[in-house]
Amino acid sequence: MKNNLRKLSIMAFVMAIPSLIISDWYYKGYGILVMFIFLTIGLILDQITRLKFPVSVVSPLNNYRKNKILNIFSLILFIQSPIGLIYGNKYANNLGFWIMAVMICLGITLNQIAANKYRYTVGK
C-alpha cells in the first residue's frame, strides 16, 4: 500500500506538466488549473502516505492523525491559492486577491490549530 501511494504520488507529479500542455491546447486558459490539481493530488497522496505510515513512533496517535489531516487541508488551501487569484480576477477586479488572501489566512489558521491543539511527540 505504501509503495502504491508513493507511485501514484509520483505519477501525479509527472502528469502535471503534460496535463498543462494538453488541456491548455484544447481549453485555452484552463491548463494551469489542471496542472495545479495534479500537483495537489500528488502532495495529498504523499501526505496520506506519511499519515498512514509514520517514519517514527508518535504518541498520541489520535492527535498525530488529526494534526496531519488539518495540515493536509491547509496544504490544499496554500497550493490552490494562486488558482483563486488567477480565476477570481477573471470575474471582478481584486476578487482574486481577496480569494487568495482568505485561502492563505484560512490555511495559516488551520496550521496553527493543528500545531497548538493536536500536539504529538515523536519517539525513536
Side-chain angles (χ1 to χ4, degrees):
M1 175 94 172
K2 182 178 179 179
N3 289 333
N4 290 340
L5 285 173
R6 287 189 192 264
K7 287 177 187 176
L8 286 173
S9 174
I10 291 170
M11 278 195 332
F13 284 128
V14 169
M15 289 173 48
I17 297 299
S19 69
L20 166 72
I21 296 166
I22 292 169
S23 45
D24 207 37
W25 185 315
Y26 291 108
Y27 303 104
K28 195 71 173 166
Y30 290 100
I32 196 158
L33 174 68
V34 176
M35 181 187 76
F36 270 90
I37 288 172
F38 275 112
L39 290 175
T40 305
I41 289 170
L43 285 171
I44 289 171
L45 289 173
D46 181 57
Q47 292 301 312
I48 289 174
T49 304
R50 294 170 195 256
L51 173 71
K52 296 284 186 183
F53 308 103
V55 178
S56 342
V57 177
V58 292
S59 64
L61 188 59
N62 193 24
N63 281 358
Y64 173 77
R65 289 188 176 147
K66 288 179 183 177
N67 184 305
K68 284 294 182 187
I69 289 172
L70 284 175
N71 280 328
I72 288 172
F73 284 123
S74 67
L75 181 69
I76 292 170
L77 288 169
F78 288 140
I79 298 298
Q80 293 296 321
S81 64
I83 295 300
L85 177 67
I86 293 168
Y87 293 106
N89 281 338
K90 286 186 176 183
Y91 295 109
N93 280 345
N94 293 331
L95 178 66
F97 170 77
W98 291 109
I99 291 173
M100 182 187 73
V102 166
M103 289 174 80
I104 290 173
C105 290
L106 189 59
I108 291 171
T109 303
L110 286 177
N111 194 319
Q112 290 302 309
I113 290 171
N116 293 326
K117 188 171 181 183
Y118 300 110
R119 293 183 182 159
Y120 62 91
T121 58
V122 178
K124 293 183 180 182

